[in-house]
Amino acid sequence: MRVYPTIFRLAFSWMDAERAHKIGFRAIRLAHSCGAGRVLQKFTAPAASLQTQAFGLTFPSPFGLAAGFDKEGHGIEALAELGFGHVEVGTITGQAQPGNPAPRLFRLVEDRAVINRMGFNNDGAAAVAPRLKSARAALQRQHPGVRPVIGVNIGKSKVVGLDDAVSDYLISARSLAPAADYLVVNVSSPNTPGLRLLQDVETLRPLLTAVGEEADKAAGRHVPLLVKIAPDLSDEDIDAVARLALDLKLDGIIATNTTIARTGLSSSPDTVAACGAGGLSGAPLKQRSLEVLARLRNATAGALTLVSVGGVETAQDVQARLDAGATLVQGYTAFLYEGPFWAARINRLLAKHPSRR
Ligand SMILES: Cc1cc2nc3c(=O)[nH]c(=O)nc-3n(C[C@H](O)[C@H](O)[C@H](O)COP(=O)(O)O)c2cc1C
C-alpha cells in the first residue's frame, strides 16, 4: 500500500504549495542525514541494465530530476539516494536573487499540474559552487560504481539587462562548471522578463559559444553543454535551434521548460485564472513536450543527444520518450504528486521493460 497519496491528500494538498515543497524536501534531506537514505538506497538504486551513456558520461538510469526542485544544491546526495540517475541543480544565476513575491507556486490537482512563477530564487553562483563541489565528492564516495550525475542549469540574473546577458551567464559558467558534470543554458523560463528572447538564434549563438568556451576553460576539461528550450516555440524556431545546436556541436538539447499556455485543463477557468501568470507543468504538458521531441528528433536525425522533459508521470511515459528519440528523460511535477519513491518505481518498471534490453 502506498502511504504518500494519503499524506498528500490529508496534509500537503491543504498547505501553500511552496511550503509543502519545503517540508517535503527537508524530510528527504533529513532521511539522508540520519542515514535512512543509505539503507533505502539498497531498494532504490537503479538496476545495472538501466545504465545509459550520454555526452561522454555514464548515467545509472536514463531518468533524472529536472531543474527547479533543488535550485541551490542543498539536497543532491539525498535526491540521488531516491534513485534519480541525475539531478539537475538550478536555475542558478550570476547574482543572488529572491525571486518573485509569494505566493508563486500553485497546484492544479485535478490536472496533476502546477503553475509557478518562482523567478529564479537562488543564492547566486558563488554561494552554490562550493556545495556542488562537496556533493560531487560525496557522490563519488557513496556510489563507488556508476554515480548519479550532477547537471547544473544556469540563467540570467533579473537585474541584468538582455544586452549584458552573456557576461552574466559567464559569471555562472566560470564558478559552476568545475563542479558540473554537464551544464545547461536556460533561456526558456517564462518568469524572467525577456529571457525567452534569448532563444532567437542570432542571440543564442554568441551566448552558447561564449558559455561553452568559458566553462571548458574554468573546468580544464570539456563540460558537456546543453540548451533548454520552451514548448511555446514555433516549429520553425525549434528547427532553427536544432540547426544551431548541430552547427555549434552542442552536446544536447533539453525540451521542454514550462508553458505559458493554459489549454486542455480540467480545472475551472476561475481556479486557473486565480493562479495568475507563470509556467504550467505536469500532465497537461505531456503532448506538446512529445511533439517538440519528435520535431527535434527529425531535425537532428540522431546526431544530437535529446533530453525530454514535460508531463512525464510513469515508466510508460519515460519509455515513450526513449522510443521517440530521447537518450535521457526528466521529470519534476509528478514527483510532487507521486512522492519520494517515484523514481525508484519508474526504474524498477523500466528495468522490466523488454525494449530496454
Ligand atoms: C516549481 C517549479 C520550478 C521550476 N524551476 C525551474 C528552473 O529554475 N529552471 C528550469 O530550467 N526549469 C524549471 N522548472 C521546469 C522543470 O524543470 C521542467 O522543465 C518542467 O516543469 C516540465 O517538467 P514536468 O512536467 O515534469 O514538471 C521548474 C518547474 C517547476 C514546477
Side-chain angles (χ1 to χ4, degrees):
M1 196 194 74
R2 288 175 53 200
V3 177
Y4 183 80
T6 312
I7 298 176
F8 180 84
R9 194 163 32 84
L10 296 181
F12 286 160
S13 67
W14 297 98
M15 269 179 218
D16 166 71
E18 186 171 355
R19 185 169 144 76
H21 167 73
K22 283 185 180 153
I23 292 173
F25 193 15
R26 212 171 292 143
I28 289 170
R29 281 178 287 161
L30 188 67
H32 167 72
S33 53
C34 74
R38 297 298 301 279
V39 178
L40 275 179
Q41 209 182 305
K42 292 191 179 63
F43 306 97
T44 57
S49 63
L50 292 181
Q51 285 179 15
T52 301
Q53 309 287 328
F55 30 84
L57 305 173
T58 306
F59 292 67
S61 159
F63 184 61
L65 182 59
F69 188 93
D70 186 358
K71 284 180 178 282
E72 302 167 308
H74 284 297
I76 300 170
E77 297 145 70
L79 291 162
E81 280 170 352
L82 298 180
F84 291 106
H86 66 279
V87 176
E88 191 171 304
V89 177
T91 292
I92 303 157
T93 52
Q95 302 185 28
Q97 55 183 37
N100 290 321
R104 53 193 181 176
L105 179 60
F106 308 88
R107 288 183 220 89
L108 299 176
V109 178
E110 248 181 88
D111 287 295
R112 296 178 69 79
V114 305
I115 291 176
N116 92 82
R117 52 169 172 278
M118 303 299 289
F120 294 167
N121 50 306
N122 80 106
D123 295 339
V128 178
R131 272 177 226 147
L132 296 180
K133 194 167 167 233
S134 76
R136 209 160 177 252
L139 286 184
Q140 220 117 30
R141 279 194 312 275
Q142 290 158 9
H143 302 259
V146 175
R147 70 163 171 83
V149 166
I150 302 179
V152 178
N153 177 310
I154 60 175
K156 184 183 78 63
S157 309
K158 188 176 180 185
V159 292
V160 171
L162 282 182
D163 289 347
D164 299 317
V166 174
S167 53
D168 188 55
Y169 276 90
L170 291 186
I171 294 172
S172 301
R174 207 172 299 132
S175 31
L176 300 169
D181 292 320
Y182 72 84
L183 198 64
V184 183
V185 171
N186 179 10
V187 281
S188 48
S189 165
N191 302 315
T192 294
L195 185 85
R196 293 181 311 157
L197 294 171
L198 297 172
Q199 290 175 116
D200 185 284
V201 288
E202 295 304 310
T203 336
L204 196 52
R205 179 183 286 276
L207 172 63
L208 293 174
T209 305
V211 169
E213 285 170 3
E214 191 72 21
D216 288 0
K217 194 167 101 193
R221 64 184 156 93
H222 174 59
V223 181
L225 183 67
L226 295 88
V227 63
K228 182 167 178 179
I229 63 171
D232 307 315
L233 286 179
S234 69
D235 287 346
E236 293 68 35
D237 287 341
I238 293 169
D239 292 346
V241 172
R243 278 195 301 275
L244 176 68
L246 288 172
D247 193 33
L248 294 179
K249 296 192 168 44
L250 221 61
D251 293 276
I253 299 180
I254 303 187
T256 66
N257 214 312
T258 56
T259 178
I260 54 168
R262 297 288 188 266
T263 45
L265 297 175
S266 306
S267 306
S268 78
D270 286 350
T271 307
V272 177
C275 299
L280 172 73
S281 58
L285 190 53
K286 193 176 298 196
Q287 186 56 34
R288 180 59 187 158
S289 174
L290 251 173
E291 283 166 13
V292 175
L293 172 63
R295 187 91 199 175
L296 287 170
R297 169 72 188 202
N298 278 343
T300 58
L304 203 67
T305 299
L306 302 176
V307 182
S308 184
V309 52
V312 169
E313 299 183 284
T314 64
Q316 287 94 318
D317 291 336
V318 175
Q319 190 62 55
R321 305 299 167 103
L322 297 173
D323 294 343
T327 303
L328 299 170
V329 180
Q330 301 180 330
Y332 177 167
T333 301
F335 191 29
L336 308 180
Y337 289 107
E338 292 289 322
F341 302 114
W342 179 51
R345 223 166 22 245
I346 284 184
N347 284 332
R348 204 173 49 244
L349 292 168
L350 275 182
K352 278 191 194 159
H353 197 289
S355 72
R356 282 205 55 81
R357 293 176 187 274

